[in-house]
Amino acid sequence: GENVEQHPSTLSVQEGDSAVIKCTYSDSASNYFPWYKQELGKGPQLIIDIRSNVGEKKDQRIAVTLNKTAKHFSLHITETQPEDSAVYFCAASIGNYGQNFVFGPGTRLSVLP
Amino acid sequence: DAGVIQSPRHEVTEMGQEVTLRCKPISGHDYLFWYRQTMMRGLELLIYFNNNVPIDDSGMPEDRFSAKMPNASFSTLKIQPSEPRDSAVYFCASSLGNTGELFFGEGSRLTVL
């Protein structure tokens, strides 16, 4: 079955710096890769996603890159702000664009003022 | 829209008691998911429904867990009897068709003493 690994587990950056979180997946049939942000006491919320026919996607300060050959994808946050502090989860669809996902273990990002 | 609504937000119970968690998905969404989140195992999918029909319950840990979706606007997750290892945050999420985006509720934090 699908296995998703995520690194690092914790990340501290200075406000204004960039943050990068990396994920790998095992199922070559996976074709949808969302990223979720979870703030304390709340449910995860989708912040960006990418499909396998695209190599990169950007939305303001966040971007995601996908390397299907190597089976890894990354989240990039530029000009980090204190409100970016949260736990970030990557996920990969199980098989071909299903409604079922495997989530990575999460990365706790702290943006220091 | 009010988003996905879960109740109760917090539940403390004693081992052996029955626990019922409730979820109201976003109106019009045809997929509903139950996830469990723990420090050790992260976000795990327990079961999901499409148009009120259970599609995949392979994540349900054992027979003590059951889930129902009697109509498009309500679902329950029941644990009977509860055990201390069931302590976790349980999330309900819904989605529309095959768009991929999951909308999570704020979770139900269960503590079994």
Side-chain angles (χ1 to χ4, degrees), chain A:
Chain A
E2 176 71 282
N3 181 49
V4 177
E5 296 185 355
Q6 183 172 347
H7 299 280
S9 56
T10 61
L11 178 60
S12 293
V13 299
Q14 291 294 135
E15 182 177 356
D17 287 350
S18 295
V20 180
I21 303 170
K22 298 182 179 182
C23 288
T24 60
Y25 62 99
S26 60
D27 185 358
S28 57
S30 296
N31 62 0
Y32 175 65
F33 308 92
W35 286 88
Y36 283 81
K37 174 184 181 183
Q38 185 177 23
E39 297 177 343
L40 194 62
K42 297 193 174 183
Q45 183 175 14
L46 180 74
I47 56 171
I48 195 167
D49 57 12
I50 192 167
R51 303 189 189 280
S52 60
N53 57 346
V54 176
E56 183 173 358
K57 183 177 178 180
K58 190 173 181 180
D59 183 4
Q60 299 183 348
R61 296 186 298 108
I62 59 174
V64 58
T65 58
L66 171 65
N67 183 327
K68 281 222 75 180
T69 302
K71 288 192 277 195
H72 65 71
F73 55 114
S74 301
L75 177 71
H76 305 253
I77 306 174
T78 58
E79 301 172 24
T80 53
Q81 301 168 3
E83 53 265 37
D84 294 330
S85 296
V87 179
Y88 291 80
F89 294 94
C90 62
S93 62
I94 295 177
N96 187 12
Y97 194 16
Q99 284 303 105
N100 199 348
F101 307 98
V102 173
F103 283 85
T107 296
R108 182 173 298 279
L109 173 64
S110 299
V111 179
L112 309 173

Side-chain angles (χ1 to χ4, degrees), chain B residues 19-74:
Chain B
V19 173
T20 299
L21 308 179
R22 299 171 177 81
C23 175
K24 176 178 169 51
I26 292 174
S27 176
H29 281 190
D30 54 349
Y31 283 85
L32 183 138
F33 304 79
W34 283 100
Y35 282 87
R36 178 171 67 177
Q37 186 175 41
T38 61
M39 287 295 293
M40 291 299 296
R41 300 176 68 91
L43 269 167
E44 302 174 277
L45 177 65
L46 300 178
I47 185 171
Y48 78 95
F49 297 81
N50 177 218
N51 292 322
N52 314 338
V53 176
I55 302 301
D56 184 353
D57 65 354
S58 59
M60 296 285 263
E62 48 199 273
D63 292 345
R64 297 184 298 105
F65 286 69
S66 62
K68 294 182 179 179
M69 191 165 186
N71 57 62
S73 59
F74 184 66

